[in-house]
Amino acid sequence: MQDQTFPFSAIVGQDDLKSALLISAIDPTIGGVLAFGDRGTGKTTAIRALAALLPKQAVAVDCRFRCNPEKPAGLCANCQSPAASNKPQARQESPSVIDLPLGATEDRVLGALDLERALASGELAFEPGLLAAAHRGFLYVDEVNLLDDHLVDILLDVAASGINRIEREGMSLTHAAEFVLIGSGNPEEGELRPQLLDRFGLSVEVRTPREPKERVEIIKRREAFERDREDFARTWKRKDNALRKKIEKARDLAGTIETPDECLEAAAALCVKLGSDGLRGELALIRAARGFAALAGDERVTLEHLKRGAPMALGHRLRKDPLDDSDASARVARAVEEVLGA
Amino acid sequence: MNDVLLNPDHLVDVERATETGNAQWARAVLAASLALVYPSGLGGVRLSANAGPVRALWLAELERISPASEKSVVVPAAVSPERLSGGVSGAQSLMSGEIKRDVGLLERARGTCLVVNMAERLDMQVSAMIASELDGSGPEAGDGICAVLLDESQSTDEQPPAILTERLAFHADLQETPLRAAAPFTVNAADIAAARPRVLSVEVTHEIVEAVLAACERLNVWTMRAPLFCLNAAKALAALGGRDKVTADDVLRAGSLVLTSRAQAQATEAQPQQPPSPESGEDNEGAGETNTRQEEPDLEDLLVEAVETAVEAVIFSAKDHGKPDRRGVGSAGRSGETVFASDMGRVDRPSRSRGRGNRVDLVATLRAAAPMQRLREQPPGQPRPKIKPADLRMKRFRRRKQSSVIFVVDASGSAAMHRMSEAKGAVQKLLSDCYSRRDLVSLIAFRGEDAELLLPPTRSLVSAHRRLSDLPGGGATPLARAITTAGAMAEAERARGRSPFLVFLSDGRGNMTLDGKPDRAVASEETTNMARRLSALSVPTVFFDTSRRPTPQAKALSVALGAAYEFLPIADSGKVSGLVREHIGYN
């Protein structure tokens, strides 16, 4: 019996974070979300709530690789075995949110030799790691700016290709590992390597709420949740259900949304103005704009969507001038105003 | 029933916060009791105390009043992550031939206390694991672990990681508590056990929520955890007292306990004091709405007052007892003690080389041996796997030799502003350079009579920006003092397992003696002596001469320091940071 999580719709404020998470769920190719900022702002709460909110997915029963029974081509060896003559048995489950602990070993992350079976029967079997468990779900790395370099490299590789390749201890195999990477952290602990920063599709700054009304509401909802979790969840069920339907619709719509030339040009102009390196910024910006359009149920991307997507798609890609006191969001806002109008 | 908790005289003591031993003990008792009543909502207690009979009594009493059936789990700060999370036990598996799993210590601590020794030496990895455990507790009040961090640090330079302390409601201090003030708790396990099921249904009025929020704001404590902890602590106190509603008293006592240390942390990192915001007056001005507000003293004011008094008292007593200045340079080597560099033992990939002192990584060894069993004519299911020397894998500890660049900047005289801003620029450039990601930067500024640590060692650009925004300047040049401070700082960094690197920005002309007298001749002699002493530490040093023309004095000083000499009259920060990086590269 799963512990009741705090409902997504009940989260007060943090609109940027919530939007970014929803967009990454609608379009996983956007490349993950980086949430950085103050402590105690509900980052972890939001991510767990997201998983509980999302539409359930078909997962093969007893499969440690989270195989999709609807896609026979991608099944793991277990699900493909002659014993499962037809499609493997399926179950509806929420997408997984896997925590990547700071001190995780490579074995734990990638997977390793199944010791038990090897010692007991001498067979070489693979014990799936965290990446397998995160397939078709989310991999959450808290304090991402403190993560070990070699783990960072592994994550970058797999997140980009969607495939985990194992060559070790006498085993050689690959398995699908398509996940949305979500990182959170506090900049006071240290800077994130630029290479890693750039790989995140979207970034949001999470600030402590200062508005008194907002703060009161946060406390009240938290109290109500602690008092009776089931009851609280029931109160918010309707809103959560509505949001879930919105996401389903958005996912269906996503492939057919039109992006007019005017928007493509504006996106390019914005990136040039801000001096964001490479093309990832532009791609992320367009995808974010499409995400906002999908969420709103619109069939075409507009400049408004671009405006909303710009800070989260570009805020972390600005070439850093350490002596420039103005913060990233101010620079993006300025550029947006100049290129897209107020 | 609970004299310590409900006795109004004690309440007065705590509120007046003269920080006598009795008051401190009372607070520590309150913290322990409340944390045990509602661990899932309060996290636990950070206890600043030296090892000794006072702390031992507190711990023994904590154990006694804990309603858990299992004893507390005690771990050293150096506990390995594997022990915490559990998993395959290499040794046992090897012996029996079957996979044996250890129950992780975190799992074992659920429902009882996790006591961490020498918590100031915790590394990020272990802290993050404990923090994650604290995040996931509930739904019952007594669920999860009650974390107790035993903190023996003497200054704010060495603290348990913020990721953990942020998640603990209480910080109790027994450092100044004499033994005669320590008495057995008057609460007992039955009281705690009875209070637990009541906590979640204790009512809190809207007014109290607003008062607590407003108090936090006035104290400049903004994290949402603070008001939540205040309210949870107040609820726990009400539950202990058998009440179903939180009273103003509860809030005052529990709330001030939660907020004092957080407000104190704010005060020490003092930015220019914010003028009392006009909004906070609203509560008082919103009169006419509720009569009661006008007649009774405002809860928000009382709470703020209680906390501010407590904070002042602590800072006052710290100065009184000659404790190191909160912004001091840090424990420069406690002689005779084994130094544990907290960045030391992070287990790396297992290696094959069997150097001396390496430890066997049993699980990796088993993994290496397992595929070979058939070849070694071991029928499957044989109790012990055949291990050959080639299978052995060793644990390799990766020692991160971080560089710690210490800027020592002359902030005296008229050129101060310019020099300081160059230094600030250089600091920020160094921090933002991705190569230096692992390196820390700190800044000591000297002027007038003293040398001040403006920026403690940090990797964070954000911190540097914040702390260096207000740069003082002008006055005499206490160069000798700057050198001794730099030396102490370098030693402290070494003690933490880092490689210090000193960068001086000055014209080399000190005119203030060590005991604060403006005597140029004596100052010059002292400067040279201190410089020679510093050079004996063999810390790589660069001396940037900021005079208009290269002076023999500056050159002589850099020789005495054993430093590399660079002439830099119109320094630009790019040049400084570039040269610093070059020099670090050579070492």
Side-chain angles (χ1 to χ4, degrees):
Chain A
M1 173 60 194
Q2 220 181 15
D3 259 340
Q4 182 61 53
T5 37
F6 196 87
F8 194 87
S9 311
I11 296 175
V12 180
Q14 303 301 5
D15 288 329
D16 285 340
L17 176 61
K18 291 196 288 199
S19 301
L21 287 176
L22 290 175
I23 290 179
S24 74
I26 293 170
D27 179 7
T29 66
I30 204 162
V33 179
L34 177 64
F36 60 91
D38 301 328
R39 292 209 169 82
T41 40
K43 300 188 281 283
T44 317
T45 309
I47 286 142
R48 302 218 188 283
L50 177 74
L53 169 76
L54 291 176
K56 297 203 171 171
Q57 51 189 200
V59 179
V61 172
D62 286 341
C63 176
R64 298 182 69 182
F65 293 90
R66 304 212 38 106
C67 285
N68 185 353
E70 311 293 319
K71 291 209 173 118
L75 292 179
C76 68
N78 228 29
C79 298
Q80 265 175 23
S81 64
S85 46
N86 308 315
K87 282 196 296 190
Q89 224 193 333
R91 191 169 54 196
Q92 292 290 319
E93 279 182 21
S94 288
S96 48
V97 173
I98 301 295
D99 278 347
L100 191 95
L102 258 192
T105 55
E106 233 176 83
D107 287 350
R108 188 82 191 87
V109 175
L110 294 176
L113 180 71
D114 187 336
L115 259 184
E116 206 137 20
R117 286 217 259 176
L119 288 176
S121 54
E123 56 174 297
L124 287 183
F126 177 66
E127 180 166 354
L130 295 174
L131 294 184
H135 182 44
R136 299 162 68 207
F138 299 84
L139 189 66
Y140 176 48
V141 188
D142 198 9
E143 307 288 333
V144 68
N145 38 356
L146 296 175
L147 198 60
D148 259 353
D149 280 353
H150 81 275
L151 271 183
V152 165
D153 291 335
I154 292 171
L155 284 184
L156 291 178
D157 275 344
V158 182
S161 63
I163 299 177
N164 183 17
R165 214 173 293 275
I166 307 280
E167 304 280 354
R168 62 195 302 191
E169 287 151 8
M171 298 178 298
S172 174
L173 61 100
T174 62
H175 72 79
E178 296 158 8
F179 53 84
V180 176
L181 184 62
I182 310 232
S184 78
N186 190 317
E188 303 236 329
E189 296 288 343
E191 301 297 310
L192 203 57
R193 263 171 37 178
Q195 300 95 304
L196 183 54
L197 254 184
D198 189 48
R199 292 290 199 145
F200 280 97
L202 306 174
S203 77
V204 288
E205 195 185 332
V206 188
R207 277 176 229 98
T208 310
R210 300 238 163 175
E211 230 292 289
K213 285 209 183 71
E214 206 176 311
R215 291 162 66 87
V216 170
E217 195 56 34
I218 292 175
I219 300 263
K220 286 195 147 170
R221 291 191 193 177
R222 191 78 221 176
E223 294 243 293
F225 177 67
E226 295 299 339
R227 213 178 293 273
D228 187 345
R229 294 189 179 189
E230 300 296 332
D231 192 61
F232 188 74
R234 248 171 288 146
T235 327
W236 290 92
K237 203 179 162 101
R238 207 164 42 92
K239 284 223 165 104
D240 261 9
N241 284 342
L243 192 49
R244 185 177 302 122
K245 286 212 175 64
K246 223 173 163 189
I247 296 173
E248 279 168 342
K249 273 210 188 121
R251 279 178 173 169
D252 289 334
L253 196 55
T256 60
I257 291 184
E258 217 189 295
T259 319
D261 283 346
E262 158 192 56
C263 289
L264 291 174
E265 283 159 16
L270 205 48
C271 291
V272 167
K273 185 118 216 160
L274 284 169
S276 73
D277 289 325
L279 288 173
R280 280 211 189 91
E282 230 163 291
L283 285 172
L285 177 53
I286 307 266
R287 287 192 179 127
R290 292 169 66 94
F292 277 110
L295 261 180
D298 293 339
E299 287 171 354
R300 316 174 83 228
V301 174
T302 66
L303 292 180
E304 272 310 305
H305 299 317
L306 266 183
K307 270 194 206 168
R308 289 194 70 190
M312 52 180 74
L314 301 177
H316 55 299
R317 300 176 201 277
L318 309 179
R319 220 171 273 145
K320 238 196 226 178
D321 184 4
L323 300 183
D324 180 352
D325 270 5
S326 62
D327 69 353
S329 43
R331 283 168 69 185
V332 174
R334 246 185 288 139
V336 165
E337 209 180 299
E338 286 172 28
V339 173
L340 299 177
Chain B
M1 153 170 108
N2 309 318
D3 284 323
V4 172
L5 298 179
L6 300 178
N7 184 338
D9 289 335
H10 263 282
L11 171 59
V12 169
D13 261 349
V14 167
E15 278 190 325
R16 254 189 266 140
T18 48
E19 297 300 336
T20 58
N22 287 323
Q24 287 181 326
W25 183 255
R27 292 168 95 104
V29 171
L30 186 57
S33 316
L34 297 182
L36 281 173
V37 168
Y38 194 3
S40 70
L42 294 170
V45 183
R46 170 184 167 194
L47 184 74
S48 286
N50 303 318
V54 176
R55 190 178 85 173
L57 181 60
W58 187 88
L59 281 169
E61 288 295 283
L62 179 80
E63 193 66 45
R64 183 179 66 81
I65 69 171
S66 165
S69 43
E70 284 80 37
K71 290 183 64 163
S72 305
V73 176
V74 182
V75 296
V79 63
S80 73
E82 294 82 46
R83 285 287 285 138
L84 276 184
S85 58
V88 177
S89 163
Q92 293 189 4
S93 308
L94 206 54
M95 287 297 115
S96 64
E98 271 177 0
I99 298 299
K100 296 280 182 200
R101 286 172 205 281
D102 254 339
V103 171
L105 291 176
L106 282 178
E107 199 180 314
R108 231 197 286 162
R110 279 177 206 153
T112 177
C113 298
L114 180 77
V115 180
V116 183
N117 266 315
M118 296 215 279
E120 72 277 11
R121 291 181 173 172
L122 275 170
D123 72 23
M124 273 311 293
Q125 202 175 319
V126 171
S127 308
M129 291 178 77
I130 303 177
S132 178
E133 181 70 32
L134 287 173
D135 277 345
S137 47
E140 301 299 325
D143 280 351
I145 62 176
C146 178
V148 177
L149 301 186
L150 300 180
D151 180 357
E152 291 179 41
S153 64
Q154 297 295 318
S155 75
T156 50
D157 278 351
E158 230 191 347
Q159 289 196 73
I163 187 181
L164 254 191
T165 55
E166 157 85 5
R167 288 167 164 80
L168 302 184
F170 306 114
H171 180 187
D173 193 332
L174 290 177
Q175 285 175 338
E176 307 288 318
T177 311
L179 189 50
R180 55 182 155 72
F185 299 176
T186 44
V187 179
N188 58 43
D191 300 325
I192 308 276
R196 274 186 181 175
R198 295 202 280 254
V199 178
L200 292 180
S201 43
V202 171
E203 276 175 37
V204 181
T205 65
H206 181 84
E207 284 76 31
I208 287 184
V209 173
E210 287 196 331
V212 169
L213 278 171
C216 287
E217 283 167 41
R218 276 170 63 184
L219 292 166
N220 214 17
V221 176
W222 288 95
T223 167
M224 286 309 296
R225 284 205 176 92
L228 275 170
F229 281 153
C230 282
L231 293 169
N232 286 349
K235 280 192 200 170
L237 187 49
L240 251 188
R243 280 166 273 124
D244 56 5
K245 280 204 188 68
V246 165
T247 65
D249 250 16
D250 293 328
V251 175
L252 272 181
R253 256 185 299 167
S256 61
L257 192 57
V258 168
L259 292 179
T260 304
S261 67
R262 288 175 194 261
Q264 196 180 314
Q266 286 302 114
T268 352
E269 288 196 8
Q271 296 296 310
Q273 276 300 320
Q274 284 182 6
S277 60
E279 285 91 334
S280 65
E282 252 176 65
D283 285 2
N284 298 333
E285 285 163 21
E289 284 162 23
T290 12
N291 276 334
T292 41
R293 282 252 202 93
Q294 297 224 300
E295 280 145 18
E296 287 171 13
D298 198 80
L299 178 58
E300 173 202 330
D301 288 333
L302 282 177
L303 186 51
V304 171
E305 212 184 291
V307 175
E308 281 178 342
T309 331
V311 170
E312 275 164 27
V314 171
I315 294 185
F316 182 75
S317 87
K319 284 206 180 116
D320 227 23
H321 296 231
K323 265 197 189 163
D325 184 358
R326 293 281 155 167
R327 286 161 89 185
V329 158
S331 43
R334 288 177 253 182
S335 53
E337 258 186 271
T338 20
V339 173
F340 179 89
S342 59
D343 280 330
M344 185 151 63
R346 182 88 75 86
V347 181
D348 199 357
R349 290 173 172 126
S351 86
R352 278 206 184 143
S353 62
R354 279 140 69 196
R356 191 178 295 173
N358 280 356
R359 284 164 45 195
V360 177
D361 185 339
L362 290 168
V363 179
T365 303
L366 277 177
R367 285 217 166 97
M372 311 299 283
Q373 294 308 301
R374 268 217 214 116
L375 281 177
R376 293 174 187 171
E377 288 151 19
Q378 288 279 84
Q382 176 78 306
R384 301 240 204 113
K386 246 191 202 166
I387 311 275
K388 290 207 168 160
D391 299 329
L392 276 178
R393 298 289 184 271
M394 316 303 287
K395 279 196 187 175
R396 185 170 59 187
F397 290 93
R398 182 164 21 130
R399 184 175 211 144
R400 296 198 300 181
K401 257 304 184 179
Q402 290 172 296
S403 288
S404 181
V405 183
I406 306 166
F407 280 85
V408 191
V409 186
D410 190 341
S412 68
S414 46
M417 280 289 114
H418 197 56
R419 248 175 270 127
M420 283 303 289
S421 67
E422 284 151 21
K424 173 182 169 182
V427 164
Q428 292 181 316
K429 280 222 163 88
L430 276 176
L431 281 172
S432 67
D433 183 342
C434 64
Y435 290 122
S436 329
R437 191 180 77 106
R438 297 235 179 274
D439 300 335
L440 298 117
V441 184
S442 51
L443 193 144
I444 298 172
F446 60 98
R447 65 180 187 110
E449 287 174 22
D450 225 337
E452 201 184 336
L453 180 67
L454 288 184
L455 178 71
T458 182
R459 260 188 300 256
S460 159
L461 197 54
V462 170
S463 284
H465 195 79
R466 189 164 42 93
R467 284 178 179 258
L468 298 180
S469 55
D470 235 350
L471 302 176
T477 316
L479 189 44
R481 158 116 17 239
I483 294 176
T484 48
T485 311
M489 187 78 196
E491 282 187 307
E493 287 299 280
R494 271 205 184 131
R496 291 193 193 107
R498 303 172 189 155
S499 289
F501 188 89
L502 288 167
V503 182
F504 283 88
L505 266 108
S506 166
D507 57 12
R509 283 196 292 266
N511 57 18
M512 182 67 74
T513 66
L514 280 172
D515 44 7
K517 296 201 187 63
D519 183 339
R520 199 178 275 275
V522 175
S524 177
E525 206 182 299
E526 284 179 342
T527 304
T528 315
N529 287 336
M530 292 303 122
R532 290 210 184 103
R533 267 205 226 170
L534 181 54
S535 89
L537 291 179
S538 302
V539 179
T541 311
V542 182
F543 189 94
F544 286 103
D545 183 358
T546 55
S547 354
R548 247 170 263 189
R549 267 186 281 274
T551 60
Q553 204 160 1
K555 283 213 178 113
L557 184 55
S558 59
V559 167
L561 282 170
Y565 173 87
E566 298 275 358
F567 178 58
L568 209 68
I570 311 167
D572 71 86
S573 42
K575 213 164 167 218
V576 174
S577 63
L579 284 167
V580 169
R581 243 182 275 127
E582 247 181 69
H583 281 276
I584 296 183
Y586 291 156
N587 285 295

